[in-house]
Amino acid sequence: MQIRISWPAGQLTATLEETPTSKALVEALPISASANTWGEEVYFDTGLSVALEHDAQQVVAPGTVAFWTDGDALALPYGPTPIARGDECRLASPCNVLGSFDGDPRLLSTVRDGDPIRVERV
């Protein structure tokens, strides 16, 4: 499954694995939201409420597409967050891992707090 995430300064595509959360997300698309930034992470509300999966992770690779169940939000880390230890991507709490970006996740650095953001199927 592929999705496109776009904002005023750019866009990225991502490939999602077959998980319960990724299936629920794709069924809810398209989604439009207002972006939030937290260190080198972009996150935004999806309007979805899903359960934490058994393999949820708090520390992930840059460019991971994750779902933060505590905030019903997609969490898109591309570098260290305020609670990171060193250069790791440490999310606020364990998140469901959905997949990863196909391009350079550092492009997310062009997202500004409050930017409109859209997620759609490719």
Side-chain angles (χ1 to χ4, degrees):
M1 294 184 285
Q2 278 200 309
I3 60 171
R4 176 183 301 111
I5 299 175
S6 54
W7 62 96
Q11 68 177 18
L12 281 167
T13 59
T15 300
L16 305 183
E17 303 299 322
E18 294 275 341
T19 71
T21 303
S22 63
K23 289 176 186 175
L25 175 68
V26 169
E27 287 174 15
L29 296 180
I31 293 171
S32 294
S34 180
N36 299 289
T37 58
W38 186 57
E40 294 187 9
E41 177 187 312
V42 174
Y43 70 97
F44 51 90
D45 183 58
T46 62
L48 290 175
S49 184
V50 298
L52 193 64
E53 294 177 10
H54 69 88
D55 57 350
Q57 298 175 35
Q58 187 170 11
V59 177
V60 297
T64 296
V65 177
F67 191 93
W68 182 40
T69 60
D70 292 348
D72 297 337
L74 274 183
L76 311 173
Y78 58 92
T81 60
I83 61 170
R85 297 177 188 143
D87 290 338
E88 70 184 9
C89 294
R90 180 175 293 270
L91 304 168
S93 58
C95 293
N96 296 341
V97 173
L98 308 184
S100 60
F101 284 105
D102 303 321
D104 183 357
R106 304 252 353 131
L107 188 57
L108 289 167
S109 68
T110 64
V111 176
R112 298 292 168 247
D113 221 38
D115 273 356
I117 199 156
R118 181 174 168 85
V119 185
E120 58 198 341
R121 284 187 87 143
V122 174

